[in-house]
Amino acid sequence: DLEARSRHLRQTDSPSIEQPEPDISSVSSPRFLLSAHKKFLSPSPSRPKQKQPWLLYERPFARYLFLFTVSILGFCQNYCYDSTTGVVDDLVKDMDISYTQFQTLYSVFTIPDFFFALLSGLLMEKLGTRVFSNIAAGLVCVGSTSIATAALLRNYPFMAFGKLLFGVSVNAVCLTQYVFNEKWFKGKELAFALGLTSSIASLGTVTSLTTMMPIRNLFGTYKAGLWLGAGATYLAFFGNLIVCSLDRTAERNETSKSRRTPPIL
């Protein structure tokens, strides 16, 4: 009796509840399988990479490399320009000229420089900044080599011609430097770029005036310093080629961006 009563109570306390069978059709549907594939089998999305600026003008490394190269141009050219001033006593004595004739070497291009500066601007507009800068930098090399050769030959008129060619060409290169800096730093750090270029160019003058005499004492002749200044202009010429290459690449990059960007209507 006790077993029958306990069995009866157990059946009344926990009635059996029938569980519905799961709907397998919804699980096996193509939409469910596609969502499961995207959720579990597809690779996890990677972190989006930071986009690099389109224009080469906007990349800091390219901008400062360009600025450094342009500044080195002014340094090398000013180093050669003032190389004769650092050894003026030896040059006057060796070439048998007066100090007035020596000062004439620096003033020989000041009068025609007004016309050459205007002509340089017109030629730059006609030929382009890069082509004109290469021509001017090449003429600087010719002028510096003429100065060193004239000292070697003790030929005063030839040295005056070299100073004339060198001075006019240097001013033309300075003009192209301003144009390049304005193009690369327009609206952002332009004053800093112009100030740095001018400061490093002035540093070339100081370096030339302080190193010409030690070089003369080291090699036993002042002409070694003049040839070293001429070599600096060739270094500036190769630096100008780098500047033109960077500017050409940046211009092509800007052109490719303008082609990919749809016009705004």
Side-chain angles (χ1 to χ4, degrees), residues 10-261:
R10 196 181 302 114
Q11 292 177 356
T12 55
D13 290 341
S14 58
S16 60
I17 301 175
E18 294 182 358
Q19 298 292 336
E21 296 182 359
D23 187 10
I24 306 178
S25 61
S26 61
V27 179
S28 59
S29 63
R31 182 178 298 178
F32 177 82
L33 295 177
L34 181 61
S35 62
H37 172 75
K38 291 182 178 180
K39 184 176 181 180
F40 298 104
L41 300 182
S42 61
S44 59
S46 58
R47 183 178 299 178
K49 296 182 179 179
Q50 187 177 2
K51 293 183 178 180
Q52 295 292 333
W54 270 93
L55 298 179
L56 197 63
Y57 307 117
E58 300 174 357
R59 299 183 182 181
F61 176 77
R63 285 161 57 88
Y64 290 114
L65 175 62
F66 183 89
L67 179 60
F68 173 76
T69 311
V70 170
S71 302
I72 290 298
L73 299 182
F75 177 88
C76 295
Q77 291 167 357
N78 277 21
Y79 184 86
C80 180
Y81 180 79
D82 294 295
S83 59
T84 54
T85 306
V87 291
V88 53
D89 295 330
D90 293 319
L91 189 145
V92 167
K93 183 179 179 180
D94 182 62
M95 297 190 64
D96 194 18
I97 59 176
S98 63
Y99 285 94
T100 303
Q101 289 176 304
F102 177 79
Q103 292 296 331
T104 306
L105 293 176
Y106 283 89
S107 59
V108 69
F109 65 89
T110 55
I111 296 177
D113 187 51
F114 169 78
F115 303 100
F116 279 107
L118 180 60
L119 181 61
S120 298
L122 295 176
L123 288 176
M124 189 186 303
E125 293 289 340
K126 191 71 174 179
L127 301 176
T129 307
R130 292 190 296 266
V131 176
F132 180 77
S133 64
N134 287 326
I135 295 175
L139 292 178
V140 169
C141 296
V142 175
S144 63
T145 306
S146 300
I147 295 171
T149 306
L152 189 64
L153 301 176
R154 297 184 177 88
N155 191 330
Y156 178 77
F158 190 40
M159 180 173 287
F161 167 77
K163 276 289 186 180
L164 172 63
L165 183 61
F166 181 86
V168 172
S169 303
V170 162
N171 290 337
V173 172
C174 292
L175 183 61
T176 61
Q177 290 176 357
Y178 285 118
V179 174
F180 278 134
N181 283 330
E182 195 276 337
K183 184 177 181 180
W184 278 71
F185 296 93
K186 183 178 180 180
K188 185 178 181 181
E189 300 176 338
L190 178 58
F192 167 74
L194 296 176
L196 182 64
T197 304
S198 179
S199 299
I200 295 182
S202 300
L203 183 62
T205 299
V206 175
T207 306
S208 178
L209 295 177
T210 55
T211 58
M212 283 296 112
M213 287 306 295
I215 293 173
R216 178 256 186 196
N217 297 332
L218 179 62
F219 292 95
T221 176
Y222 73 96
K223 300 172 185 178
L226 300 183
W227 283 107
L228 181 61
T233 60
Y234 284 93
L235 179 62
F237 178 78
F238 286 109
N240 189 78
L241 293 179
I242 296 175
V243 168
C244 293
S245 177
L246 288 173
D247 186 69
R248 186 184 299 107
T249 303
E251 191 173 289
R252 291 177 179 175
N253 193 11
E254 185 179 15
T255 304
S256 64
K257 180 187 176 181
S258 62
R259 290 177 179 176
R260 295 183 183 183
T261 304

